[in-house]
Amino acid sequence: MKKWVLILLALSVLGFGAYVYFYNGISNIERMKIQAYNHKTESYDQGKVLTDQYSIKIFTKSLNRARHEKNTIYEMANHEDYLVTVTYEDGGTDEFRVWESSGRYTHIIRAGEGDNFKISGDRNREKLIKLLK
Protein backbone atom coordinates (compact mmCIF):
# COMPACT_ATOMS: atom_id res chain seq x y z
CA MET A 1 0.00 0.00 0.00
CA LYS A 2 2.78 2.43 0.92
CA LYS A 3 4.56 1.58 -2.30
CA TRP A 4 1.54 2.63 -4.40
CA VAL A 5 1.14 5.88 -2.47
CA LEU A 6 4.81 6.73 -3.04
CA ILE A 7 4.55 5.92 -6.75
CA LEU A 8 1.41 8.05 -7.08
CA LEU A 9 3.07 10.90 -5.20
CA ALA A 10 6.19 10.69 -7.40
CA LEU A 11 4.08 10.73 -10.59
CA SER A 12 2.12 13.72 -9.30
CA VAL A 13 5.31 15.65 -8.56
CA LEU A 14 6.73 14.78 -12.00
CA GLY A 15 3.51 15.80 -13.72
CA PHE A 16 3.34 19.11 -11.88
CA GLY A 17 7.03 19.74 -12.59
CA ALA A 18 6.53 19.10 -16.31
CA TYR A 19 3.53 21.45 -16.34
CA VAL A 20 5.51 24.25 -14.66
CA TYR A 21 8.50 23.66 -16.93
CA PHE A 22 6.56 23.74 -20.20
CA TYR A 23 3.94 26.38 -19.34
CA ASN A 24 4.92 29.95 -20.24
CA GLY A 25 1.90 31.69 -18.75
CA ILE A 26 0.00 32.63 -21.90
CA SER A 27 -3.72 31.99 -21.41
CA ASN A 28 -7.17 33.62 -21.29
CA ILE A 29 -6.92 35.16 -24.76
CA GLU A 30 -10.20 36.58 -26.01
CA ARG A 31 -9.13 37.69 -29.49
CA MET A 32 -6.07 38.23 -31.69
CA LYS A 33 -5.37 40.70 -34.46
CA ILE A 34 -2.76 39.49 -36.95
CA GLN A 35 -1.13 42.03 -39.24
CA ALA A 36 1.44 41.15 -41.89
CA TYR A 37 4.29 43.58 -42.49
CA ASN A 38 4.80 44.71 -46.08
CA HIS A 39 8.55 45.20 -46.54
CA LYS A 40 8.07 47.22 -49.77
CA THR A 41 5.74 49.85 -48.32
CA GLU A 42 7.18 49.53 -44.79
CA SER A 43 3.75 49.31 -43.21
CA TYR A 44 1.32 46.78 -41.77
CA ASP A 45 -1.74 45.59 -43.64
CA GLN A 46 -5.27 45.87 -42.20
CA GLY A 47 -4.92 42.42 -40.71
CA LYS A 48 -7.46 39.92 -39.58
CA VAL A 49 -9.15 39.49 -36.22
CA LEU A 50 -9.52 35.96 -34.88
CA THR A 51 -11.91 35.09 -32.07
CA ASP A 52 -12.42 31.37 -32.62
CA GLN A 53 -11.04 29.15 -29.88
CA TYR A 54 -9.30 26.79 -32.30
CA SER A 55 -7.04 29.53 -33.70
CA ILE A 56 -6.40 31.00 -30.26
CA LYS A 57 -5.50 27.55 -28.97
CA ILE A 58 -2.93 27.07 -31.77
CA PHE A 59 -1.25 30.38 -30.89
CA THR A 60 -1.36 29.76 -27.14
CA LYS A 61 -0.10 26.19 -27.49
CA SER A 62 2.77 27.31 -29.73
CA LEU A 63 3.90 29.93 -27.23
CA ASN A 64 3.51 27.69 -24.21
CA ARG A 65 5.58 24.94 -25.87
CA ALA A 66 8.25 27.32 -27.17
CA ARG A 67 11.68 27.81 -25.67
CA HIS A 68 11.10 30.83 -23.45
CA GLU A 69 13.76 33.31 -22.39
CA LYS A 70 12.78 35.98 -19.87
CA ASN A 71 14.43 39.36 -19.46
CA THR A 72 16.23 39.25 -22.81
CA ILE A 73 16.47 41.97 -25.38
CA TYR A 74 17.12 41.15 -29.00
CA GLU A 75 17.84 43.62 -31.76
CA MET A 76 16.89 41.88 -34.97
CA ALA A 77 18.55 42.73 -38.31
CA ASN A 78 15.26 42.47 -40.23
CA HIS A 79 11.82 43.91 -39.53
CA GLU A 80 9.30 41.41 -38.17
CA ASP A 81 7.00 39.60 -40.57
CA TYR A 82 3.87 39.79 -38.42
CA LEU A 83 2.48 41.80 -35.54
CA VAL A 84 0.04 39.89 -33.36
CA THR A 85 -1.98 42.00 -30.93
CA VAL A 86 -3.59 39.85 -28.27
CA THR A 87 -6.52 40.99 -26.14
CA TYR A 88 -7.05 39.06 -22.91
CA GLU A 89 -10.37 38.38 -21.20
CA ASP A 90 -9.57 40.98 -18.51
CA GLY A 91 -9.11 43.68 -21.20
CA GLY A 92 -5.31 43.75 -21.14
CA THR A 93 -3.33 43.61 -24.37
CA ASP A 94 0.07 42.37 -25.51
CA GLU A 95 1.92 42.76 -28.79
CA PHE A 96 3.94 39.88 -30.16
CA ARG A 97 6.39 40.55 -33.01
CA VAL A 98 6.92 37.44 -35.14
CA TRP A 99 9.83 36.62 -37.45
CA GLU A 100 8.63 33.70 -39.56
CA SER A 101 12.05 32.28 -40.30
CA SER A 102 14.88 33.38 -38.07
CA GLY A 103 17.45 30.68 -38.70
CA ARG A 104 16.01 27.40 -37.60
CA TYR A 105 13.43 29.07 -35.35
CA THR A 106 10.28 31.07 -35.64
CA HIS A 107 11.18 33.91 -33.33
CA ILE A 108 8.55 35.78 -31.27
CA ILE A 109 9.23 38.75 -29.02
CA ARG A 110 6.65 40.13 -26.61
CA ALA A 111 6.93 43.92 -26.95
CA GLY A 112 7.84 45.76 -23.77
CA GLU A 113 8.16 42.65 -21.59
CA GLY A 114 11.61 41.35 -22.52
CA ASP A 115 10.11 37.94 -23.23
CA ASN A 116 11.47 35.93 -26.13
CA PHE A 117 9.99 32.75 -27.58
CA LYS A 118 11.73 30.42 -30.03
CA ILE A 119 9.61 27.81 -31.79
CA SER A 120 11.67 25.05 -33.35
CA GLY A 121 9.34 22.06 -33.61
CA ASP A 122 8.34 21.56 -37.24
CA ARG A 123 4.71 20.67 -36.53
CA ASN A 124 4.06 23.54 -34.09
CA ARG A 125 5.93 25.94 -36.35
CA GLU A 126 3.93 24.92 -39.44
CA LYS A 127 0.60 25.32 -37.63
CA LEU A 128 1.60 28.76 -36.35
CA ILE A 129 2.79 29.97 -39.78
CA LYS A 130 -0.41 28.68 -41.39
CA LEU A 131 -2.44 30.57 -38.76
CA LEU A 132 -0.53 33.81 -39.37
CA LYS A 133 -0.92 33.78 -43.17
PDB file of all heavy atoms in Angstrom, residues 82-115:
ATOM      1  N   TYR A  82       5.247  39.650 -38.898  1.00  0.00           N
ATOM      2  CA  TYR A  82       3.868  39.786 -38.416  1.00  0.00           C
ATOM      3  C   TYR A  82       3.847  40.500 -37.080  1.00  0.00           C
ATOM      4  O   TYR A  82       4.774  40.387 -36.276  1.00  0.00           O
ATOM      5  CB  TYR A  82       3.214  38.409 -38.219  1.00  0.00           C
ATOM      6  CG  TYR A  82       3.159  37.580 -39.465  1.00  0.00           C
ATOM      7  CD1 TYR A  82       4.128  36.625 -39.728  1.00  0.00           C
ATOM      8  CD2 TYR A  82       2.143  37.757 -40.401  1.00  0.00           C
ATOM      9  CE1 TYR A  82       4.092  35.863 -40.880  1.00  0.00           C
ATOM     10  CE2 TYR A  82       2.096  37.004 -41.558  1.00  0.00           C
ATOM     11  CZ  TYR A  82       3.074  36.057 -41.791  1.00  0.00           C
ATOM     12  OH  TYR A  82       3.032  35.319 -42.932  1.00  0.00           O
ATOM     13  N   LEU A  83       2.761  41.208 -36.842  1.00  0.00           N
ATOM     14  CA  LEU A  83       2.480  41.797 -35.544  1.00  0.00           C
ATOM     15  C   LEU A  83       1.173  41.179 -35.059  1.00  0.00           C
ATOM     16  O   LEU A  83       0.144  41.276 -35.742  1.00  0.00           O
ATOM     17  CB  LEU A  83       2.337  43.318 -35.649  1.00  0.00           C
ATOM     18  CG  LEU A  83       1.926  44.035 -34.372  1.00  0.00           C
ATOM     19  CD1 LEU A  83       3.013  43.907 -33.305  1.00  0.00           C
ATOM     20  CD2 LEU A  83       1.629  45.495 -34.654  1.00  0.00           C
ATOM     21  N   VAL A  84       1.229  40.516 -33.925  1.00  0.00           N
ATOM     22  CA  VAL A  84       0.039  39.886 -33.359  1.00  0.00           C
ATOM     23  C   VAL A  84      -0.328  40.646 -32.087  1.00  0.00           C
ATOM     24  O   VAL A  84       0.446  40.674 -31.129  1.00  0.00           O
ATOM     25  CB  VAL A  84       0.283  38.390 -33.029  1.00  0.00           C
ATOM     26  CG1 VAL A  84      -0.973  37.762 -32.437  1.00  0.00           C
ATOM     27  CG2 VAL A  84       0.734  37.637 -34.268  1.00  0.00           C
ATOM     28  N   THR A  85      -1.489  41.282 -32.106  1.00  0.00           N
ATOM     29  CA  THR A  85      -1.979  42.001 -30.933  1.00  0.00           C
ATOM     30  C   THR A  85      -3.022  41.124 -30.261  1.00  0.00           C
ATOM     31  O   THR A  85      -4.033  40.781 -30.865  1.00  0.00           O
ATOM     32  CB  THR A  85      -2.591  43.358 -31.327  1.00  0.00           C
ATOM     33  OG1 THR A  85      -1.623  44.101 -32.079  1.00  0.00           O
ATOM     34  CG2 THR A  85      -2.983  44.144 -30.091  1.00  0.00           C
ATOM     35  N   VAL A  86      -2.742  40.767 -29.026  1.00  0.00           N
ATOM     36  CA  VAL A  86      -3.592  39.846 -28.268  1.00  0.00           C
ATOM     37  C   VAL A  86      -4.380  40.642 -27.235  1.00  0.00           C
ATOM     38  O   VAL A  86      -3.808  41.478 -26.525  1.00  0.00           O
ATOM     39  CB  VAL A  86      -2.718  38.774 -27.573  1.00  0.00           C
ATOM     40  CG1 VAL A  86      -3.526  37.948 -26.606  1.00  0.00           C
ATOM     41  CG2 VAL A  86      -2.040  37.897 -28.594  1.00  0.00           C
ATOM     42  N   THR A  87      -5.676  40.389 -27.165  1.00  0.00           N
ATOM     43  CA  THR A  87      -6.517  40.989 -26.136  1.00  0.00           C
ATOM     44  C   THR A  87      -6.969  39.869 -25.195  1.00  0.00           C
ATOM     45  O   THR A  87      -7.519  38.863 -25.636  1.00  0.00           O
ATOM     46  CB  THR A  87      -7.750  41.679 -26.752  1.00  0.00           C
ATOM     47  OG1 THR A  87      -7.302  42.639 -27.701  1.00  0.00           O
ATOM     48  CG2 THR A  87      -8.583  42.356 -25.679  1.00  0.00           C
ATOM     49  N   TYR A  88      -6.699  40.061 -23.917  1.00  0.00           N
ATOM     50  CA  TYR A  88      -7.050  39.064 -22.912  1.00  0.00           C
ATOM     51  C   TYR A  88      -8.475  39.293 -22.403  1.00  0.00           C
ATOM     52  O   TYR A  88      -9.058  40.365 -22.614  1.00  0.00           O
ATOM     53  CB  TYR A  88      -6.063  39.120 -21.744  1.00  0.00           C
ATOM     54  CG  TYR A  88      -4.651  38.782 -22.151  1.00  0.00           C
ATOM     55  CD1 TYR A  88      -3.698  39.779 -22.347  1.00  0.00           C
ATOM     56  CD2 TYR A  88      -4.266  37.467 -22.368  1.00  0.00           C
ATOM     57  CE1 TYR A  88      -2.403  39.470 -22.735  1.00  0.00           C
ATOM     58  CE2 TYR A  88      -2.979  37.148 -22.758  1.00  0.00           C
ATOM     59  CZ  TYR A  88      -2.054  38.161 -22.937  1.00  0.00           C
ATOM     60  OH  TYR A  88      -0.780  37.844 -23.320  1.00  0.00           O
ATOM     61  N   GLU A  89      -9.005  38.310 -21.717  1.00  0.00           N
ATOM     62  CA  GLU A  89     -10.371  38.384 -21.201  1.00  0.00           C
ATOM     63  C   GLU A  89     -10.555  39.521 -20.209  1.00  0.00           C
ATOM     64  O   GLU A  89     -11.639  40.071 -20.087  1.00  0.00           O
ATOM     65  CB  GLU A  89     -10.760  37.045 -20.559  1.00  0.00           C
ATOM     66  CG  GLU A  89     -10.926  35.936 -21.562  1.00  0.00           C
ATOM     67  CD  GLU A  89     -11.182  34.578 -20.935  1.00  0.00           C
ATOM     68  OE1 GLU A  89     -11.155  34.470 -19.690  1.00  0.00           O
ATOM     69  OE2 GLU A  89     -11.397  33.622 -21.694  1.00  0.00           O
ATOM     70  N   ASP A  90      -9.475  39.891 -19.489  1.00  0.00           N
ATOM     71  CA  ASP A  90      -9.568  40.982 -18.513  1.00  0.00           C
ATOM     72  C   ASP A  90      -9.396  42.362 -19.149  1.00  0.00           C
ATOM     73  O   ASP A  90      -9.400  43.369 -18.453  1.00  0.00           O
ATOM     74  CB  ASP A  90      -8.550  40.793 -17.387  1.00  0.00           C
ATOM     75  CG  ASP A  90      -7.109  40.893 -17.864  1.00  0.00           C
ATOM     76  OD1 ASP A  90      -6.885  41.071 -19.073  1.00  0.00           O
ATOM     77  OD2 ASP A  90      -6.202  40.787 -17.013  1.00  0.00           O
ATOM     78  N   GLY A  91      -9.235  42.418 -20.492  1.00  0.00           N
ATOM     79  CA  GLY A  91      -9.109  43.679 -21.200  1.00  0.00           C
ATOM     80  C   GLY A  91      -7.673  44.105 -21.477  1.00  0.00           C
ATOM     81  O   GLY A  91      -7.451  45.051 -22.224  1.00  0.00           O
ATOM     82  N   GLY A  92      -6.710  43.440 -20.896  1.00  0.00           N
ATOM     83  CA  GLY A  92      -5.309  43.754 -21.142  1.00  0.00           C
ATOM     84  C   GLY A  92      -4.882  43.335 -22.540  1.00  0.00           C
ATOM     85  O   GLY A  92      -5.526  42.488 -23.170  1.00  0.00           O
ATOM     86  N   THR A  93      -3.820  43.955 -23.040  1.00  0.00           N
ATOM     87  CA  THR A  93      -3.327  43.608 -24.370  1.00  0.00           C
ATOM     88  C   THR A  93      -1.823  43.382 -24.332  1.00  0.00           C
ATOM     89  O   THR A  93      -1.126  43.886 -23.452  1.00  0.00           O
ATOM     90  CB  THR A  93      -3.619  44.724 -25.401  1.00  0.00           C
ATOM     91  OG1 THR A  93      -2.959  45.923 -24.993  1.00  0.00           O
ATOM     92  CG2 THR A  93      -5.098  44.969 -25.562  1.00  0.00           C
ATOM     93  N   ASP A  94      -1.346  42.608 -25.289  1.00  0.00           N
ATOM     94  CA  ASP A  94       0.075  42.365 -25.514  1.00  0.00           C
ATOM     95  C   ASP A  94       0.322  42.388 -27.005  1.00  0.00           C
ATOM     96  O   ASP A  94      -0.536  41.982 -27.790  1.00  0.00           O
ATOM     97  CB  ASP A  94       0.515  40.992 -24.980  1.00  0.00           C
ATOM     98  CG  ASP A  94       1.005  41.040 -23.545  1.00  0.00           C
ATOM     99  OD1 ASP A  94       1.550  42.079 -23.137  1.00  0.00           O
ATOM    100  OD2 ASP A  94       0.851  40.024 -22.847  1.00  0.00           O
ATOM    101  N   GLU A  95       1.516  42.826 -27.388  1.00  0.00           N
ATOM    102  CA  GLU A  95       1.924  42.765 -28.785  1.00  0.00           C
ATOM    103  C   GLU A  95       3.060  41.770 -28.920  1.00  0.00           C
ATOM    104  O   GLU A  95       4.027  41.824 -28.162  1.00  0.00           O
ATOM    105  CB  GLU A  95       2.399  44.137 -29.292  1.00  0.00           C
ATOM    106  CG  GLU A  95       1.288  45.092 -29.571  1.00  0.00           C
ATOM    107  CD  GLU A  95       1.781  46.367 -30.235  1.00  0.00           C
ATOM    108  OE1 GLU A  95       3.007  46.582 -30.322  1.00  0.00           O
ATOM    109  OE2 GLU A  95       0.921  47.145 -30.672  1.00  0.00           O
ATOM    110  N   PHE A  96       2.915  40.869 -29.873  1.00  0.00           N
ATOM    111  CA  PHE A  96       3.939  39.885 -30.161  1.00  0.00           C
ATOM    112  C   PHE A  96       4.456  40.146 -31.574  1.00  0.00           C
ATOM    113  O   PHE A  96       3.674  40.193 -32.521  1.00  0.00           O
ATOM    114  CB  PHE A  96       3.370  38.461 -30.073  1.00  0.00           C
ATOM    115  CG  PHE A  96       2.951  38.073 -28.688  1.00  0.00           C
ATOM    116  CD1 PHE A  96       1.665  38.290 -28.244  1.00  0.00           C
ATOM    117  CD2 PHE A  96       3.856  37.482 -27.826  1.00  0.00           C
ATOM    118  CE1 PHE A  96       1.278  37.927 -26.972  1.00  0.00           C
ATOM    119  CE2 PHE A  96       3.484  37.112 -26.545  1.00  0.00           C
ATOM    120  CZ  PHE A  96       2.195  37.339 -26.113  1.00  0.00           C
ATOM    121  N   ARG A  97       5.748  40.336 -31.704  1.00  0.00           N
ATOM    122  CA  ARG A  97       6.385  40.546 -33.005  1.00  0.00           C
ATOM    123  C   ARG A  97       6.955  39.202 -33.455  1.00  0.00           C
ATOM    124  O   ARG A  97       7.693  38.572 -32.711  1.00  0.00           O
ATOM    125  CB  ARG A  97       7.455  41.615 -32.908  1.00  0.00           C
ATOM    126  CG  ARG A  97       6.856  42.923 -32.425  1.00  0.00           C
ATOM    127  CD  ARG A  97       7.826  44.054 -32.385  1.00  0.00           C
ATOM    128  NE  ARG A  97       7.207  45.243 -31.823  1.00  0.00           N
ATOM    129  CZ  ARG A  97       6.406  46.072 -32.468  1.00  0.00           C
ATOM    130  NH1 ARG A  97       6.111  45.825 -33.715  1.00  0.00           N
ATOM    131  NH2 ARG A  97       5.899  47.129 -31.896  1.00  0.00           N
ATOM    132  N   VAL A  98       6.599  38.780 -34.671  1.00  0.00           N
ATOM    133  CA  VAL A  98       6.922  37.437 -35.142  1.00  0.00           C
ATOM    134  C   VAL A  98       7.822  37.513 -36.377  1.00  0.00           C
ATOM    135  O   VAL A  98       7.485  38.181 -37.357  1.00  0.00           O
ATOM    136  CB  VAL A  98       5.631  36.651 -35.499  1.00  0.00           C
ATOM    137  CG1 VAL A  98       5.966  35.243 -35.957  1.00  0.00           C
ATOM    138  CG2 VAL A  98       4.673  36.626 -34.318  1.00  0.00           C
ATOM    139  N   TRP A  99       8.956  36.823 -36.297  1.00  0.00           N
ATOM    140  CA  TRP A  99       9.833  36.615 -37.446  1.00  0.00           C
ATOM    141  C   TRP A  99       9.611  35.181 -37.897  1.00  0.00           C
ATOM    142  O   TRP A  99       9.967  34.243 -37.176  1.00  0.00           O
ATOM    143  CB  TRP A  99      11.296  36.835 -37.066  1.00  0.00           C
ATOM    144  CG  TRP A  99      11.655  38.270 -36.896  1.00  0.00           C
ATOM    145  CD1 TRP A  99      12.253  39.062 -37.818  1.00  0.00           C
ATOM    146  CD2 TRP A  99      11.433  39.096 -35.743  1.00  0.00           C
ATOM    147  NE1 TRP A  99      12.424  40.328 -37.303  1.00  0.00           N
ATOM    148  CE2 TRP A  99      11.922  40.374 -36.040  1.00  0.00           C
ATOM    149  CE3 TRP A  99      10.853  38.881 -34.483  1.00  0.00           C
ATOM    150  CZ2 TRP A  99      11.873  41.425 -35.142  1.00  0.00           C
ATOM    151  CZ3 TRP A  99      10.791  39.928 -33.593  1.00  0.00           C
ATOM    152  CH2 TRP A  99      11.297  41.189 -33.923  1.00  0.00           C
ATOM    153  N   GLU A 100       9.033  35.020 -39.071  1.00  0.00           N
ATOM    154  CA  GLU A 100       8.626  33.701 -39.558  1.00  0.00           C
ATOM    155  C   GLU A 100       9.794  32.728 -39.626  1.00  0.00           C
ATOM    156  O   GLU A 100       9.701  31.594 -39.191  1.00  0.00           O
ATOM    157  CB  GLU A 100       7.979  33.840 -40.932  1.00  0.00           C
ATOM    158  CG  GLU A 100       7.440  32.561 -41.477  1.00  0.00           C
ATOM    159  CD  GLU A 100       6.731  32.770 -42.796  1.00  0.00           C
ATOM    160  OE1 GLU A 100       6.137  33.840 -43.019  1.00  0.00           O
ATOM    161  OE2 GLU A 100       6.771  31.843 -43.616  1.00  0.00           O
ATOM    162  N   SER A 101      10.902  33.166 -40.172  1.00  0.00           N
ATOM    163  CA  SER A 101      12.046  32.280 -40.303  1.00  0.00           C
ATOM    164  C   SER A 101      13.293  33.028 -39.849  1.00  0.00           C
ATOM    165  O   SER A 101      13.859  33.829 -40.578  1.00  0.00           O
ATOM    166  CB  SER A 101      12.200  31.820 -41.751  1.00  0.00           C
ATOM    167  OG  SER A 101      13.304  30.952 -41.850  1.00  0.00           O
ATOM    168  N   SER A 102      13.687  32.764 -38.626  1.00  0.00           N
ATOM    169  CA  SER A 102      14.880  33.375 -38.068  1.00  0.00           C
ATOM    170  C   SER A 102      15.861  32.237 -37.800  1.00  0.00           C
ATOM    171  O   SER A 102      15.918  31.688 -36.704  1.00  0.00           O
ATOM    172  CB  SER A 102      14.526  34.122 -36.782  1.00  0.00           C
ATOM    173  OG  SER A 102      15.683  34.656 -36.186  1.00  0.00           O
ATOM    174  N   GLY A 103      16.601  31.859 -38.835  1.00  0.00           N
ATOM    175  CA  GLY A 103      17.455  30.681 -38.702  1.00  0.00           C
ATOM    176  C   GLY A 103      16.595  29.450 -38.671  1.00  0.00           C
ATOM    177  O   GLY A 103      15.707  29.264 -39.493  1.00  0.00           O
ATOM    178  N   ARG A 104      16.814  28.622 -37.691  1.00  0.00           N
ATOM    179  CA  ARG A 104      16.005  27.398 -37.596  1.00  0.00           C
ATOM    180  C   ARG A 104      14.797  27.562 -36.675  1.00  0.00           C
ATOM    181  O   ARG A 104      14.123  26.609 -36.327  1.00  0.00           O
ATOM    182  CB  ARG A 104      16.877  26.240 -37.134  1.00  0.00           C
ATOM    183  CG  ARG A 104      17.591  26.518 -35.849  1.00  0.00           C
ATOM    184  CD  ARG A 104      18.436  25.364 -35.420  1.00  0.00           C
ATOM    185  NE  ARG A 104      18.623  25.515 -33.987  1.00  0.00           N
ATOM    186  CZ  ARG A 104      19.597  25.005 -33.316  1.00  0.00           C
ATOM    187  NH1 ARG A 104      20.476  24.254 -33.902  1.00  0.00           N
ATOM    188  NH2 ARG A 104      19.689  25.212 -32.029  1.00  0.00           N
ATOM    189  N   TYR A 105      14.545  28.785 -36.254  1.00  0.00           N
ATOM    190  CA  TYR A 105      13.427  29.068 -35.351  1.00  0.00           C
ATOM    191  C   TYR A 105      12.417  29.996 -36.009  1.00  0.00           C
ATOM    192  O   TYR A 105      12.743  30.747 -36.909  1.00  0.00           O
ATOM    193  CB  TYR A 105      13.915  29.797 -34.087  1.00  0.00           C
ATOM    194  CG  TYR A 105      14.912  29.055 -33.265  1.00  0.00           C
ATOM    195  CD1 TYR A 105      16.251  29.417 -33.270  1.00  0.00           C
ATOM    196  CD2 TYR A 105      14.521  27.996 -32.465  1.00  0.00           C
ATOM    197  CE1 TYR A 105      17.173  28.743 -32.494  1.00  0.00           C
ATOM    198  CE2 TYR A 105      15.433  27.313 -31.695  1.00  0.00           C
ATOM    199  CZ  TYR A 105      16.757  27.690 -31.707  1.00  0.00           C
ATOM    200  OH  TYR A 105      17.663  27.023 -30.952  1.00  0.00           O
ATOM    201  N   THR A 106      11.204  29.964 -35.492  1.00  0.00           N
ATOM    202  CA  THR A 106      10.283  31.075 -35.645  1.00  0.00           C
ATOM    203  C   THR A 106      10.442  31.847 -34.349  1.00  0.00           C
ATOM    204  O   THR A 106      10.284  31.308 -33.266  1.00  0.00           O
ATOM    205  CB  THR A 106       8.839  30.588 -35.832  1.00  0.00           C
ATOM    206  OG1 THR A 106       8.753  29.918 -37.094  1.00  0.00           O
ATOM    207  CG2 THR A 106       7.863  31.735 -35.807  1.00  0.00           C
ATOM    208  N   HIS A 107      10.800  33.094 -34.477  1.00  0.00           N
ATOM    209  CA  HIS A 107      11.182  33.914 -33.334  1.00  0.00           C
ATOM    210  C   HIS A 107      10.042  34.866 -32.981  1.00  0.00           C
ATOM    211  O   HIS A 107       9.537  35.567 -33.862  1.00  0.00           O
ATOM    212  CB  HIS A 107      12.419  34.720 -33.728  1.00  0.00           C
ATOM    213  CG  HIS A 107      13.246  35.153 -32.593  1.00  0.00           C
ATOM    214  ND1 HIS A 107      14.435  34.558 -32.279  1.00  0.00           N
ATOM    215  CD2 HIS A 107      13.067  36.124 -31.676  1.00  0.00           C
ATOM    216  CE1 HIS A 107      14.957  35.149 -31.239  1.00  0.00           C
ATOM    217  NE2 HIS A 107      14.144  36.101 -30.859  1.00  0.00           N
ATOM    218  N   ILE A 108       9.637  34.904 -31.720  1.00  0.00           N
ATOM    219  CA  ILE A 108       8.552  35.780 -31.267  1.00  0.00           C
ATOM    220  C   ILE A 108       9.053  36.575 -30.068  1.00  0.00           C
ATOM    221  O   ILE A 108       9.584  36.007 -29.115  1.00  0.00           O
ATOM    222  CB  ILE A 108       7.299  34.965 -30.881  1.00  0.00           C
ATOM    223  CG1 ILE A 108       6.824  34.142 -32.072  1.00  0.00           C
ATOM    224  CG2 ILE A 108       6.201  35.892 -30.371  1.00  0.00           C
ATOM    225  CD1 ILE A 108       5.681  33.201 -31.752  1.00  0.00           C
ATOM    226  N   ILE A 109       8.847  37.882 -30.132  1.00  0.00           N
ATOM    227  CA  ILE A 109       9.234  38.748 -29.016  1.00  0.00           C
ATOM    228  C   ILE A 109       7.988  39.472 -28.519  1.00  0.00           C
ATOM    229  O   ILE A 109       7.252  40.073 -29.310  1.00  0.00           O
ATOM    230  CB  ILE A 109      10.313  39.765 -29.446  1.00  0.00           C
ATOM    231  CG1 ILE A 109      11.599  39.023 -29.808  1.00  0.00           C
ATOM    232  CG2 ILE A 109      10.560  40.778 -28.343  1.00  0.00           C
ATOM    233  CD1 ILE A 109      12.709  39.910 -30.323  1.00  0.00           C
ATOM    234  N   ARG A 110       7.766  39.399 -27.211  1.00  0.00           N
ATOM    235  CA  ARG A 110       6.650  40.132 -26.609  1.00  0.00           C
ATOM    236  C   ARG A 110       7.127  41.558 -26.364  1.00  0.00           C
ATOM    237  O   ARG A 110       8.064  41.781 -25.605  1.00  0.00           O
ATOM    238  CB  ARG A 110       6.207  39.495 -25.297  1.00  0.00           C
ATOM    239  CG  ARG A 110       4.961  40.148 -24.740  1.00  0.00           C
ATOM    240  CD  ARG A 110       4.556  39.716 -23.374  1.00  0.00           C
ATOM    241  NE  ARG A 110       4.679  38.313 -23.118  1.00  0.00           N
ATOM    242  CZ  ARG A 110       4.074  37.704 -22.122  1.00  0.00           C
ATOM    243  NH1 ARG A 110       3.298  38.358 -21.304  1.00  0.00           N
ATOM    244  NH2 ARG A 110       4.248  36.413 -21.922  1.00  0.00           N
ATOM    245  N   ALA A 111       6.496  42.518 -27.024  1.00  0.00           N
ATOM    246  CA  ALA A 111       6.928  43.918 -26.948  1.00  0.00           C
ATOM    247  C   ALA A 111       6.804  44.453 -25.521  1.00  0.00           C
ATOM    248  O   ALA A 111       5.793  44.264 -24.861  1.00  0.00           O
ATOM    249  CB  ALA A 111       6.095  44.766 -27.902  1.00  0.00           C
ATOM    250  N   GLY A 112       7.856  45.098 -25.068  1.00  0.00           N
ATOM    251  CA  GLY A 112       7.843  45.756 -23.767  1.00  0.00           C
ATOM    252  C   GLY A 112       8.081  44.866 -22.571  1.00  0.00           C
ATOM    253  O   GLY A 112       8.295  45.346 -21.471  1.00  0.00           O
ATOM    254  N   GLU A 113       8.039  43.560 -22.728  1.00  0.00           N
ATOM    255  CA  GLU A 113       8.163  42.647 -21.592  1.00  0.00           C
ATOM    256  C   GLU A 113       9.542  42.015 -21.468  1.00  0.00           C
ATOM    257  O   GLU A 113       9.876  41.476 -20.422  1.00  0.00           O
ATOM    258  CB  GLU A 113       7.125  41.522 -21.703  1.00  0.00           C
ATOM    259  CG  GLU A 113       5.688  41.987 -21.652  1.00  0.00           C
ATOM    260  CD  GLU A 113       5.263  42.436 -20.273  1.00  0.00           C
ATOM    261  OE1 GLU A 113       5.768  41.882 -19.275  1.00  0.00           O
ATOM    262  OE2 GLU A 113       4.444  43.365 -20.199  1.00  0.00           O
ATOM    263  N   GLY A 114      10.317  42.022 -22.551  1.00  0.00           N
ATOM    264  CA  GLY A 114      11.609  41.346 -22.519  1.00  0.00           C
ATOM    265  C   GLY A 114      11.474  39.837 -22.591  1.00  0.00           C
ATOM    266  O   GLY A 114      12.367  39.111 -22.185  1.00  0.00           O
ATOM    267  N   ASP A 115      10.335  39.366 -23.079  1.00  0.00           N
ATOM    268  CA  ASP A 115      10.110  37.935 -23.234  1.00  0.00           C
ATOM    269  C   ASP A 115      10.394  37.542 -24.672  1.00  0.00           C
ATOM    270  O   ASP A 115       9.999  38.228 -25.612  1.00  0.00           O
ATOM    271  CB  ASP A 115       8.670  37.553 -22.902  1.00  0.00           C
ATOM    272  CG  ASP A 115       8.395  37.554 -21.415  1.00  0.00           C
ATOM    273  OD1 ASP A 115       9.356  37.506 -20.633  1.00  0.00           O
ATOM    274  OD2 ASP A 115       7.214  37.598 -21.037  1.00  0.00           O
TER     275      ASP A 115
END
